[in-house]
Amino acid sequence: MTIDPTGAFYVFCNVKKFCAACGLDCYDLAFDILDRAHVAVTPGTDFGPGGEGYIRLSYANSFENLVEGMNRLERYFRGKR
C-alpha cells in the first residue's frame, strides 16, 4: 500500500531581492547564511533551475530552535538592506 503525503514541513522563500542586492546567487547566499548566521538553508537551485532566487527552510524542529533560527535570519537579512 502506498500513502501519498498530504503536507510537508518546508517553506520555499523568495530571496531574489537580497540576491540582487548582494550580487550572490541563491547557492552562495545559502552558504553565506550558514557562515554568518549559523542557520542551514537549502538553495532553491537544488530543486531545479526555476529555484534560482529562492531558499528552502525546514520547520521540523522544536519551537525554541525555530524561534532562535528565525531571529538569526532576521538579523542576517536586516544587515543586508
Side-chain angles (χ1 to χ4, degrees):
M1 170 160 79
T2 301
I3 300 174
D4 292 326
T6 58
F9 42 88
Y10 302 103
V11 177
F12 213 52
C13 303
N14 183 329
V15 292
K16 292 177 183 179
K17 172 175 127 180
F18 298 101
C19 288
C22 300
L24 301 173
D25 61 20
C26 70
Y27 181 86
D28 290 332
L29 181 69
F31 279 94
D32 194 53
I33 292 169
L34 180 62
D35 184 52
R36 295 173 187 265
H38 306 287
V39 175
V41 301
T42 306
T45 51
D46 282 1
F47 306 97
E52 179 55 58
Y54 293 86
I55 57 173
R56 187 176 84 165
L57 309 173
S58 171
Y59 56 90
N61 213 307
S62 70
F63 183 76
E64 293 79 17
N65 285 343
L66 293 174
V67 168
E68 177 64 26
M70 294 307 291
N71 286 337
R72 290 179 185 191
L73 287 172
E74 179 181 21
R75 286 190 299 271
Y76 176 86
F77 284 113
R78 283 191 183 275
K80 294 292 181 189
R81 286 192 201 171

